[in-house]
Amino acid sequence: MDRLEAMSTFLAVVEAGSLSAAARQMKTPLTTVSRKVSELESHLRIKLFNRSSRQLALTDAGSSYLAACKRILADVTEAERMASGEYTAPTGELTVTAPVSLGRTHLIPILADFLKTYPDIKTNLILTDVVLSLFQEQVDVGLRIGTLPDSNLIAVRVGTTRPVVCASPAYLAARGTPRTPDDLAGHDCISYPAIASPDVWTLVVGKTPVAVPMHPRLIVSNAEAACDAACSGIGITIALAHHFHAALRCGALITLLDEFQPSTLPVNLVYTADRFLPIKVRAFLDFAAPRLKRVLAGLKTPDRQAERA
């Protein structure tokens, strides 16, 4: 039995919440994950989990072993990084994850300049709207939108974004411009479920969140499609301001109901709180953070032009 591999599997099961979820994340057969956990329990002569048909809960011994596993695996990772020179010079492979749209439009140009500045660093960029576990996926830095849960991650605030409701001038000319959330009841909507439910959007009246029923004519899987569909005049859509920035700047879309929008969302760079921070990570944070701050500060939604529609 490879004990480090077994520890990593055990940690993955704990973080995923089940054997099957860990198997999916690790892209490993469920039988392999189950076998490794069983072999580890046999080797330790303890029971790590209390199993039932509905849940998997750590035993007291499992909780104690979990803390030791985290410490041991972190030490192994640090030892490997130190051996590769990552603590003495900005070198090695840097893995960064970011939301798809924000990463494509605003992080990649920053990465291009970063790689020119640090020729000994190679970057692996993972663009996904799924929040990855930095530890489990071996990610160095994550760009995150939204309030961060309590964790052992360190956050560097780089700005904010906010939800906006948009439509094309042509759609508004044909169907009228909604002035209050209630007016949305008579309109077609383009729904992007990662931001809002397909048939209910949450807006704010005064300081009170209000659920607004919507009529979905089109449901899309990403914000770019929501933007394109809205520009084509299919209906009204909602997503984050940076998703629509280019379309708003050129007048292809117009923001609506600005005074009823929820509050802004923080945008942070996050990284794990290791005892020793690789120089490549510090170099990236120092390089990217001020540039992202400038970019996000410049993504202010243009003044509304709905009255001209």
Side-chain angles (χ1 to χ4, degrees):
M1 180 187 67
D2 184 325
R3 274 191 275 180
L4 288 178
E5 185 178 8
M7 287 179 180
S8 296
T9 302
F10 167 62
L11 182 59
V13 172
V14 173
E15 291 187 342
S18 69
L19 293 168
S20 57
R24 288 192 297 271
Q25 289 184 5
M26 299 173 68
K27 298 180 181 179
T28 302
L30 174 59
T31 53
T32 301
V33 173
S34 179
R35 175 176 53 79
K36 288 181 179 179
V37 172
S38 296
E39 288 177 351
L40 186 60
E41 288 181 319
S42 297
H43 173 76
L44 297 171
R45 298 181 182 179
I46 61 172
K47 188 177 182 181
L48 295 170
F49 296 103
N50 287 317
R51 297 170 173 82
S52 71
S53 59
R54 293 189 175 183
Q55 64 179 0
L56 198 66
L58 282 170
T59 63
D60 290 343
S63 295
S64 298
Y65 187 66
L66 174 64
C69 279
K70 287 183 176 180
R71 185 178 63 252
I72 291 168
L73 291 173
D75 286 344
V76 170
T77 299
E78 288 179 6
E80 291 174 344
R81 285 175 165 174
M82 290 183 73
S84 67
E86 289 185 3
Y87 291 97
T88 58
T91 186
E93 181 172 309
L94 177 77
T95 301
V96 180
T97 183
V100 176
S101 181
L102 196 58
R104 281 182 57 245
T105 56
H106 304 301
L107 183 59
I108 285 179
I110 292 172
L111 274 174
D113 291 338
F114 175 76
L115 293 174
K116 291 176 184 176
T117 305
Y118 295 96
D120 293 329
I121 294 178
K122 180 175 72 172
T123 300
N124 175 27
L125 178 61
I126 304 172
L127 294 182
T128 175
D129 292 327
V130 176
V131 177
L132 301 179
S133 165
L134 300 193
F135 182 84
Q136 182 60 37
E137 301 295 332
Q138 296 184 322
V139 174
D140 295 296
V141 182
L143 182 60
R144 298 272 173 87
I145 298 173
T147 303
L148 298 171
D150 291 336
S151 69
N152 63 344
L153 299 179
I154 297 176
V156 178
R157 177 70 65 88
V158 293
T160 61
T161 187
R162 69 182 182 92
V164 293
V165 176
C166 293
S168 71
Y171 175 88
L172 297 174
R175 300 290 298 275
T177 300
R179 307 293 179 182
T180 70
D182 289 340
D183 293 342
L184 291 172
H187 285 272
D188 297 332
C189 76
I190 303 158
S191 178
Y192 172 37
I195 297 296
S197 167
D199 51 7
V200 177
W201 293 355
T202 300
L203 300 176
V204 175
V205 177
K207 294 184 178 180
T208 304
V210 175
V212 181
M214 295 299 299
H215 176 51
R217 292 299 308 280
L218 177 65
I219 299 174
V220 297
S221 61
N222 59 64
E224 290 76 13
C227 180
D228 292 344
C231 289
S232 297
I234 293 175
I236 298 173
T237 192
I238 184 171
L240 298 177
H242 64 269
H243 293 139
F244 301 138
H245 180 66
L248 291 169
R249 284 293 181 194
C250 72
L253 291 179
I254 293 170
T255 63
L256 310 169
L257 306 173
D258 289 353
E259 61 270 35
F260 301 104
Q261 292 307 314
S263 58
T264 59
L265 299 171
V267 181
N268 293 283
L269 288 170
V270 297
Y271 59 99
T272 54
D274 289 338
R275 284 176 292 171
F276 303 104
L277 187 65
I279 293 179
K280 65 179 181 181
V281 176
R282 173 51 58 196
F284 178 75
L285 292 170
D286 291 344
F287 189 93
R291 288 165 174 79
L292 282 169
K293 287 179 181 179
R294 289 196 294 271
V295 167
L296 291 170
L299 294 182
K300 301 300 183 183
T301 304
D303 293 338
R304 285 181 57 195
Q305 305 169 26
E307 289 75 10
R308 304 180 205 167

